[in-house]
Amino acid sequence: QVQLVESGGGLVQAGGSLRLSCAASGRSFSNYAMGWFRQAPGKEREFVARISGSGITRSYTDSVKGRFTISRDNAKNTVYLQMNSLKPEDTAVYYCGADDPRKLGGYDYWGQGTQVTVSS
Protein backbone atom coordinates (compact mmCIF):
# COMPACT_ATOMS: atom_id res chain seq x y z
CA GLN A 1 0.00 0.00 0.00
CA VAL A 2 2.81 2.41 0.90
CA GLN A 3 6.19 2.33 -0.75
CA LEU A 4 9.19 4.30 0.47
CA VAL A 5 12.30 5.05 -1.56
CA GLU A 6 15.38 6.64 0.00
CA SER A 7 17.94 8.62 -1.94
CA GLY A 8 20.76 11.07 -1.37
CA GLY A 9 23.34 8.84 0.23
CA GLY A 10 26.94 8.77 -0.84
CA LEU A 11 30.54 9.20 0.17
CA VAL A 12 31.52 12.33 2.04
CA GLN A 13 34.49 13.45 4.11
CA ALA A 14 34.20 14.06 7.82
CA GLY A 15 32.73 17.48 8.48
CA GLY A 16 30.72 17.44 5.30
CA SER A 17 26.99 17.36 4.71
CA LEU A 18 24.40 15.25 2.95
CA ARG A 19 20.66 15.49 2.58
CA LEU A 20 18.71 12.27 2.43
CA SER A 21 15.25 12.08 0.91
CA CYS A 22 12.50 9.53 1.36
CA ALA A 23 9.73 9.63 -1.21
CA ALA A 24 6.46 7.95 -0.33
CA SER A 25 3.74 6.60 -2.53
CA GLY A 26 0.22 5.88 -1.42
CA ARG A 27 -2.51 7.85 0.23
CA SER A 28 -2.61 9.83 3.45
CA PHE A 29 1.09 10.60 3.71
CA SER A 30 0.44 13.50 6.07
CA ASN A 31 -1.17 11.12 8.56
CA TYR A 32 2.01 9.11 8.98
CA ALA A 33 4.69 9.93 11.45
CA MET A 34 7.98 9.32 9.68
CA GLY A 35 11.32 8.21 11.01
CA TRP A 36 14.91 7.73 9.99
CA PHE A 37 16.94 4.77 11.23
CA ARG A 38 20.41 3.56 10.47
CA GLN A 39 22.35 0.34 10.65
CA ALA A 40 26.11 0.18 10.66
CA PRO A 41 28.06 -3.02 10.00
CA GLY A 42 27.99 -5.24 13.05
CA LYS A 43 25.43 -3.10 14.86
CA GLU A 44 21.71 -3.21 15.44
CA ARG A 45 19.39 -0.83 13.68
CA GLU A 46 19.37 2.49 15.51
CA PHE A 47 16.74 5.17 15.75
CA VAL A 48 17.92 8.50 14.36
CA ALA A 49 15.00 10.91 14.06
CA ARG A 50 11.22 11.08 13.98
CA ILE A 51 8.77 13.69 12.76
CA SER A 52 5.04 13.89 13.31
CA GLY A 53 2.58 13.94 10.45
CA SER A 54 2.16 17.68 10.69
CA GLY A 55 5.91 18.26 10.90
CA ILE A 56 5.57 20.15 14.16
CA THR A 57 7.03 17.58 16.54
CA ARG A 58 10.55 16.28 16.01
CA SER A 59 12.81 14.04 18.03
CA TYR A 60 16.39 12.83 17.66
CA THR A 61 18.80 10.41 19.16
CA ASP A 62 21.37 12.20 21.30
CA SER A 63 24.31 11.47 19.04
CA VAL A 64 22.86 13.51 16.16
CA LYS A 65 21.24 16.39 18.03
CA GLY A 66 22.50 19.71 16.75
CA ARG A 67 23.85 18.13 13.59
CA PHE A 68 20.88 16.45 11.89
CA THR A 69 17.50 17.93 11.03
CA ILE A 70 14.44 15.96 9.99
CA SER A 71 11.79 17.72 7.94
CA ARG A 72 8.97 16.90 5.59
CA ASP A 73 7.10 18.33 2.65
CA ASN A 74 3.65 16.81 2.66
CA ALA A 75 2.81 18.36 -0.70
CA LYS A 76 5.64 16.28 -2.17
CA ASN A 77 5.08 13.19 -0.01
CA THR A 78 8.71 13.40 1.03
CA VAL A 79 10.65 13.40 4.28
CA TYR A 80 14.23 14.63 4.52
CA LEU A 81 17.21 14.21 6.77
CA GLN A 82 19.73 17.03 6.58
CA MET A 83 23.02 15.77 7.98
CA ASN A 84 25.73 18.27 8.82
CA SER A 85 29.12 17.93 10.50
CA LEU A 86 29.22 14.29 9.56
CA LYS A 87 31.48 11.93 11.46
CA PRO A 88 32.88 8.54 10.48
CA GLU A 89 30.63 6.95 13.08
CA ASP A 90 27.63 8.17 11.07
CA THR A 91 28.54 5.64 8.40
CA ALA A 92 25.58 3.31 7.95
CA VAL A 93 22.72 2.33 5.73
CA TYR A 94 19.94 4.81 6.41
CA TYR A 95 16.32 3.71 6.25
CA CYS A 96 13.11 5.65 6.41
CA GLY A 97 9.99 4.25 7.98
CA ALA A 98 6.33 5.21 8.10
CA ASP A 99 4.16 4.81 11.17
CA ASP A 100 0.51 4.33 10.31
CA PRO A 101 -1.55 5.86 13.13
CA ARG A 102 -4.32 3.33 12.52
CA LYS A 103 -2.04 0.46 13.49
CA LEU A 104 -0.54 -0.45 16.82
CA GLY A 105 3.09 -1.25 17.31
CA GLY A 106 6.13 0.00 15.48
CA TYR A 107 6.76 1.33 12.01
CA ASP A 108 4.63 -0.27 9.35
CA TYR A 109 6.48 0.46 6.12
CA TRP A 110 10.17 0.62 5.29
CA GLY A 111 12.34 1.70 2.43
CA GLN A 112 15.26 -0.25 1.05
CA GLY A 113 17.87 2.07 2.48
CA THR A 114 20.60 4.34 1.19
CA GLN A 115 24.29 4.04 2.02
CA VAL A 116 26.07 6.89 3.78
CA THR A 117 29.83 6.60 4.10
CA VAL A 118 31.86 9.21 5.96
CA SER A 119 35.61 9.08 5.56
CA SER A 120 38.13 10.53 8.01
Side-chain angles (χ1 to χ4, degrees):
Q1 184 177 357
V2 176
Q3 297 184 64
L4 305 174
V5 180
E6 302 95 337
S7 62
L11 175 64
V12 64
Q13 293 186 4
S17 298
L18 285 172
R19 188 178 75 159
L20 307 183
S21 298
C22 175
S25 65
R27 300 174 60 202
S28 302
F29 174 75
S30 64
N31 290 338
Y32 300 130
M34 300 291 294
W36 285 99
F37 295 76
R38 65 189 182 186
Q39 187 166 23
K43 295 185 178 180
E44 292 295 317
R45 186 176 61 182
E46 175 191 23
F47 166 78
V48 176
R50 180 181 174 92
I51 187 167
S52 63
S54 68
I56 294 175
T57 304
R58 307 176 189 187
S59 60
Y60 303 89
T61 191
D62 285 346
S63 64
V64 308
K65 288 180 180 176
R67 300 189 298 121
F68 290 12
T69 303
I70 188 170
S71 62
R72 66 192 297 159
D73 185 341
N74 287 342
K76 296 182 178 180
N77 279 19
T78 302
V79 63
Y80 305 95
L81 186 68
Q82 178 67 47
M83 305 185 295
N84 298 328
S85 301
L86 283 162
K87 304 175 181 179
E89 49 262 47
D90 295 318
T91 295
V93 177
Y94 283 71
Y95 300 90
C96 67
D99 184 0
D100 187 341
R102 301 169 299 178
K103 301 179 179 180
L104 300 177
Y107 288 78
D108 303 289
Y109 308 100
W110 295 94
Q112 291 293 105
T114 186
Q115 176 71 48
V116 172
T117 303
V118 184
S119 63
S120 60

